[in-house]
Amino acid sequence: MERRVAEQLRSALGPLGLEAHAFKVGWYNAVLQPAFHLPYPDDTLAFVVLSTPSMFDKALKPFVSKERLKIIRDPVDQCVSHHLSRVKEKFPDQRVDIMFDYEMLPSRKPKFLAQTAAHVAGAAYYYQRKDVKLDPWGKKKIFGVCIHPKYGGWFAIRALLLFPAIQVPFLEQPPPVDCVSSEEKRIELLELFNFHWQDGRYRDIIEVKERYSEEQKTYFATPPAERFRLLGLSQEAP
């Protein structure tokens, strides 16, 4: 069952520059405090959805061109939501719950921790302070970052798809690819991400097969309220 669902997702999302990676809810809940647990049985099938560099041209620009007058909030969020809603329709006999990376609970906690989901699904390695043996940062707050084995830091985690009626007790967990394996490189990655994230150098910590186009870099480097203009939209951001 999991394989059939995965194949349907791959055929629907791949042409849009999106990836879906399967995991069991229990893998995710096992590494987090109870306050962050997903409220489903451990064997529930879930997928983490990533956007790759090609999503900008394959999904976002066509979506904006077609839905120009209906875009009232962040175009990328609205584009991903639109396409995942259409994917949901491909499973008429299944309940499919969707959680987006920008959604919050009433407690103001995120609905899910995106980087943890990507790591447990084997989609991208979540490098954290605990992955460095000789910690050089003292009392500084150091945030972790996911690195994709193919795209480095040139990707984003967009959503979860959960299938509450599908239980996959025998699903095997694929380890994420440890592509930043040396202590020196891990320190460099966390330094770049925490203290120089705006210049994007952390994204190229490994040799990547594809990165954002110059147009896409400009788009994401532009303050959200001004992005509408870059896409030729006249609306002001709400």
Side-chain angles (χ1 to χ4, degrees), residues 3 13 23 41 79 82 96 98 103 117 144 151 157 162 175 177 186 190 215 222-223 226 231:
R3 195 163 295 161
L13 297 176
F23 69 99
C79 171
H82 167 80
V96 184
I98 305 177
E103 289 186 300
Y151 306 116
I157 303 158
L162 297 118
V177 177
R186 290 180 181 186
L190 293 175
E215 180 186 17
T222 300
E226 297 169 31
L231 292 173

Side-chain angles (χ1 to χ4, degrees), residues 196-228:
H196 309 281
W197 64 270
Q198 286 170 304
D199 64 24
R201 282 182 293 155
Y202 79 90
R203 298 178 189 272
D204 286 312
I205 195 70
I206 62 168
E207 192 170 321
V208 299
K209 293 189 169 62
E210 193 179 344
R211 58 171 59 84
Y212 292 173
S213 63
E214 290 306 315
E215 180 186 17
Q216 190 171 178
K217 286 180 194 174
T218 300
Y219 177 82
F220 286 115
T222 300
E226 297 169 31
R227 292 176 183 173
F228 282 72

Side-chain angles (χ1 to χ4, degrees), residues 23-31 37-46 120 160 162-163 168 171:
F23 69 99
K24 290 202 302 188
V25 164
W27 302 346
Y28 174 92
N29 287 350
V31 297
H37 285 186
L38 294 171
Y40 300 84
D42 281 352
D43 288 335
T44 303
L45 177 63
V120 300
L160 294 188
L162 297 118
F163 292 78
V168 284
L171 188 64

Side-chain angles (χ1 to χ4, degrees), residues 71-89:
I71 294 177
I72 56 171
R73 52 186 171 85
D74 182 88
V76 173
D77 291 346
Q78 207 163 329
C79 171
V80 173
S81 174
H82 167 80
H83 285 298
L84 292 188
S85 295
R86 291 186 67 179
V87 164
K88 189 174 176 175
E89 292 168 7

